[in-house]
Amino acid sequence: MQVKLYNTLTKQKSDFVPLQGNEVRMYSCGPTVYSYAHIGNFRTYVFVDTLRRMLEYNGYTLKHVMNITDVGHLESDADEGEDKMEKAARKENKDPYEIAKFYTEAFFKDMDSLHIERPEIIAKATDHIGEMLEFAKKIVENGYGYETSKGIYFDISKLDKYPVLSNRNVEEQIAGARVEVDPEKRNPYDFAIWIKAPENHIMKWDSPWGLSYPGWHLECSAMSQKYLGEVFDIHTGGVDHIPTHHENEIAQSKGACGKIPAKIWMHGEFLLVDGGKMSKSLGNVYTITNLQEKGIEPLAYKLFCYTAHYRTKLNFTFEGAMASQKALNRLRESFLKHQAGNEEIEDSKIAEYKERFLTAINDDLNMPLAMGVVWEAVREEKKSPKIAELLRDCDKVLGLDLANAERYLQAQTQIEIPEEILELLEKRKKAREDKNWELSDQLRDELREKGYIVKDTKEGMTLEKV
Ligand code: AMP
Ligand code: ZN
């Protein structure tokens, strides 16, 4: 079935056909590793994971590159402020390389807990200084770069068109700009491709322009070209990358080789928290660990992400995430019930569910619709292993680790039940073994008063919070 993807470049949803045979070459802008990634960042990586999985589900093979930004990302995307890595290093009294190592490890720990597939190639900016320098030199040789006292800048007026991705009107923005434009720049939207390092900058390299370091946008241009060639299939990021980072990546590639590097540009919309922007001053910048502390599993957050299409804003609340935690447990329990069931379900019904699921995911990753199909299948009256098999198949795209449903449910029981409740449960088990129904009921009431409902089912005893 045909995959359709929305392309920010053409502002259209169109049929996806890889440039080379069955292989999809894809590049994703990765994290800047100066602090813990927050749940907003992970919404974007969940979107990329779903894209990967959907393409694999459709039989494509992937060559996917993600970068790790460990140098050159200044506080503002428009070349203002300090290098985020150096600032964090000073604050934590550490070497920027130590900072990068620590937060890269933390990032992948969270990625693993979300069951996000690893890209085939993970490329660290500081490992590619040589490639970036060559790229910058080419831009300058081709007449697109010029030197100022601060570094090497890209001259956007040399391009046939700028911007190409965003709708922003450069002239209007210049007129309304609040920040003072660097007088050495030829055009206000010119940006740094190479930055001359101030005395105290730790990360710096020799270059024709003295000790310096690459601008943030350059790493993605140089590394995508190294691993994927001048033109590849898909480039992803968050919507905040559209007006500056991706616009400038495109400018750089056009300056170096005259081509827009990717055919399709896909952008994940932002996660909001309590209806607004996440910000340190509001104290609402949550990490995956913060959610876990409140009893919300990383995979429940992943399921929460599927409640909205990736191109629409999603509002995070703890109530919403808790509802997804409950839904995930319901999904796991139903999966297990279907697995243990022995009722008959027609193959045509399963095929129909499969078809509808595939139609939803192939339609530019319509995950809310895909989940609707999954819930319908889950709620089938008849408990059949065929449904369990169907759910396992859908899970290739959902990445919720349903195969281990039982283990997660058990782990929760172990973590969440206080000692006192466990003792009461043990006493009740003994009472039932002794056929002392009166004591068993008494203990059930006591457990209820303490906030737990015990049910005796065919499969055994279950415990729920009131
Ligand atoms: P950074 O580490 O700041 O470069 O960001 C990593 C990724 O997270 C980028 O693709 C951003 O576009 C994305 N991102 C940042 N904030 C949010 C948010 N609130 N919601 C969704 N994605 C975000
Ligand atoms: Zn990038």
Side-chain angles (χ1 to χ4, degrees):
M1 190 186 291
Q2 182 62 53
V3 171
K4 283 182 187 292
L5 298 175
Y6 180 83
N7 187 353
T8 311
L9 194 61
T10 58
K11 318 244 173 332
Q12 267 172 11
K13 195 156 69 175
S14 47
D15 289 357
F16 172 68
V17 183
L19 289 162
Q20 278 177 10
N22 203 44
E23 187 184 59
V24 181
R25 285 169 297 148
M26 177 159 122
Y27 185 92
S28 297
C29 289
T32 306
V33 284
Y34 68 106
S35 70
Y36 291 108
H38 55 61
I39 53 174
N41 302 134
F42 284 114
R43 180 183 186 204
T44 295
Y45 300 118
V46 165
F47 143 60
V48 175
D49 185 53
T50 326
L51 175 62
R52 269 190 68 97
R53 289 168 176 274
M54 178 275 286
L55 291 167
E56 286 171 324
Y57 191 78
N58 278 276
Y60 294 113
T61 55
L62 285 170
K63 187 169 183 189
H64 180 198
V65 181
M66 185 178 76
N67 65 305
I68 301 287
T69 302
D70 56 356
V71 68
H73 194 169
L74 305 189
E75 286 172 279
S76 130
D77 287 0
D79 303 331
E80 301 292 334
E82 259 188 278
D83 185 316
K84 292 184 185 189
M85 296 302 303
E86 298 254 341
K87 190 176 175 186
R90 239 196 343 278
K91 197 169 130 213
E92 296 193 28
N93 211 7
K94 282 186 186 144
D95 181 63
Y97 292 98
E98 273 177 77
I99 295 281
K101 185 169 181 293
F102 179 84
Y103 289 112
T104 303
E105 279 168 16
F107 174 76
F108 282 111
K109 192 169 154 273
D110 286 342
M111 291 281 273
D112 289 346
S113 70
L114 283 157
H115 278 253
I116 290 177
E117 289 183 345
R118 293 259 173 130
E120 282 64 33
I121 297 163
I122 290 163
K124 223 165 64 171
T126 51
D127 285 344
H128 295 80
I129 299 296
E131 287 87 345
M132 284 191 251
L133 192 52
E134 286 311 307
F135 209 99
K137 282 187 198 162
K138 224 181 204 174
I139 290 173
V140 175
E141 271 164 33
N142 291 349
Y144 289 88
Y146 62 94
E147 188 172 355
T148 77
S149 63
K150 291 198 184 123
I152 304 301
Y153 280 79
F154 191 99
D155 185 346
I156 60 157
S157 68
K158 294 273 159 68
L159 296 165
D160 55 338
K161 195 167 175 248
Y162 183 96
V164 296
L165 262 189
S166 49
N167 282 325
R168 78 174 180 188
N169 180 329
V170 173
E171 302 303 322
E172 258 173 37
Q173 286 208 357
I174 294 167
R178 275 177 296 145
V179 281
E180 213 168 299
V181 175
D182 176 352
E184 283 188 86
K185 283 203 220 173
R186 291 183 188 164
N187 311 286
Y189 279 91
D190 287 355
F191 57 91
I193 52 177
W194 210 268
I195 304 165
K196 293 180 183 170
E199 196 68 32
N200 62 350
H201 208 273
I202 301 164
M203 292 193 283
K204 52 191 167 195
W205 293 266
D206 240 338
S207 81
W209 314 289
L211 282 175
S212 45
Y213 60 97
W216 173 42
H217 319 303
L218 197 63
E219 66 182 83
C220 295
S221 295
M223 297 194 289
S224 65
Q225 190 187 80
K226 172 174 177 174
Y227 295 106
L228 302 173
E230 284 182 354
V231 184
F232 50 94
D233 295 293
I234 304 175
H235 196 311
T236 73
V239 283
D240 57 326
H241 286 164
I242 300 174
T244 308
H245 183 50
H246 286 173
E247 207 60 82
N248 293 350
E249 266 188 52
I250 292 175
Q252 289 170 157
S253 290
K254 283 170 94 174
C257 67
K259 291 173 189 159
I260 293 180
K263 257 186 80 183
I264 301 174
W265 294 75
M266 294 179 73
H267 296 97
E269 244 304 345
F270 259 38
L271 179 83
L272 305 177
V273 171
D274 295 325
K277 216 179 145 176
M278 255 186 280
S279 85
K280 285 214 172 94
S281 58
L282 291 171
N284 63 4
V285 182
Y286 302 120
T287 61
I288 291 294
T289 308
N290 294 149
L291 302 199
Q292 285 172 306
E293 284 160 0
K294 300 221 174 197
I296 296 157
E297 286 174 66
L299 289 176
Y301 176 66
K302 194 177 200 182
L303 185 61
F304 175 76
C305 290
Y306 298 154
T307 59
H309 190 270
Y310 79 88
R311 282 194 288 119
T312 61
K313 290 190 175 65
L314 171 61
N315 185 32
F316 176 88
T317 59
F318 276 101
E319 293 74 42
M322 197 41 97
S324 290
Q325 178 66 59
K326 286 191 179 145
L328 178 60
N329 284 343
R330 234 178 13 252
L331 179 61
R332 288 166 173 161
E333 281 156 10
S334 306
F335 168 73
L336 293 173
K337 274 186 196 156
H338 280 293
Q339 204 169 42
N342 58 6
E343 290 174 280
E344 236 341 284
I345 276 192
E346 311 87 77
D347 287 341
S348 60
K349 196 159 199 185
I350 300 290
E352 196 191 307
Y353 279 129
K354 252 189 166 171
E355 172 93 6
R356 284 171 56 209
F357 180 79
L358 186 64
T359 307
I361 59 166
N362 282 8
D363 182 16
D364 193 33
L365 299 174
N366 192 338
M367 297 313 286
L369 190 64
M371 281 314 299
V373 178
V374 169
W375 288 120
E376 243 185 78
V378 162
R379 283 194 295 266
E380 273 287 343
E381 273 305 288
K382 292 182 181 163
K383 302 298 165 223
S384 157
K386 281 188 198 166
I387 295 279
E389 205 38 56
L390 169 77
L391 294 174
R392 252 180 202 270
D393 191 58
C394 295
D395 198 39
K396 287 180 190 156
V397 179
L398 305 177
L400 295 171
D401 201 16
L402 270 187
N404 288 309
E406 195 160 9
R407 190 163 57 74
Y408 287 100
L409 289 171
Q410 276 168 0
Q412 275 175 31
T413 322
Q414 279 157 16
I415 296 162
E416 281 180 9
I417 305 176
E419 199 56 40
E420 177 199 17
I421 303 297
L422 285 173
E423 276 171 25
L424 288 172
L425 285 172
E426 200 45 48
K427 268 193 208 165
R428 185 168 178 274
K429 194 168 147 227
K430 176 96 186 21
R432 288 178 70 80
E433 276 163 12
D434 297 344
K435 302 208 184 325
N436 185 345
W437 309 122
E438 198 181 326
L439 180 60
S440 162
D441 288 350
Q442 212 177 309
L443 287 164
R444 189 189 54 207
D445 294 345
E446 199 176 328
L447 280 160
R448 202 193 156 83
E449 268 168 37
K450 293 190 187 295
Y452 291 86
I453 301 170
V454 200
K455 282 186 192 153
D456 302 298
T457 68
K458 265 199 303 209
E459 290 86 19
M461 191 191 72
T462 66
L463 192 70
E464 280 170 29
K465 279 197 147 183
V466 176

